[in-house]
Amino acid sequence: MTARQTVRIVNPIGIRAAEHVSLARRLETLNGKSIGFIDNIKPNAGLFIGYIEEMIRADYSGVQTHTVRKNFTSSKLIANELEGKVQALVNAWGD
């Protein structure tokens, strides 16, 4: 007799978890904005950020970018290093 297993499938399209939670307001444009990037040092995270930054610069004028890179200390916070410097954020988090 084998044990019954359950598989949970998660749809990563960003649906709100509850109706009382509001999503952040979207920027009308990235022109002239300051964009932050968080690199969590996972394989290819830096490459991903480079591609996204290149696409943003090609499509929007006057964009400034700021990148913070996590070190090997998993509990060290880094997002606060972008506070007050950026209007939008690209997070290269994941496994």
Side-chain angles (χ1 to χ4, degrees):
M1 182 175 223
T2 61
R4 183 177 175 153
Q5 295 182 348
T6 302
V7 175
R8 182 176 179 202
I9 299 174
V10 179
N11 185 348
I13 62 171
I15 296 173
R16 296 190 295 180
E19 287 304 314
H20 67 277
V21 176
S22 59
L23 298 174
R25 184 182 64 82
R26 302 289 184 197
L27 298 174
E28 292 179 24
T29 183
L30 296 181
N31 288 328
K33 300 296 187 215
S34 181
I35 311 299
F37 295 94
I38 295 177
D39 179 344
N40 73 337
I41 67 170
K42 297 287 184 184
N44 297 317
L47 186 61
F48 168 76
I49 287 172
Y51 288 140
I52 298 299
E53 183 176 1
E54 185 178 313
M55 289 189 295
I56 289 172
R57 289 185 184 280
D59 291 342
Y60 302 97
S61 64
V63 170
Q64 296 179 356
T65 60
H66 305 274
T67 301
V68 293
R69 190 165 196 262
K70 195 161 182 66
N71 66 17
F72 292 101
T73 307
S74 62
S75 62
K76 182 179 183 276
L77 302 177
I78 59 172
N80 62 314
E81 295 176 26
L82 297 171
E83 190 172 346
K85 298 178 184 176
V86 300
Q87 288 90 33
L89 180 70
V90 176
N91 189 353
W93 233 280
D95 290 318

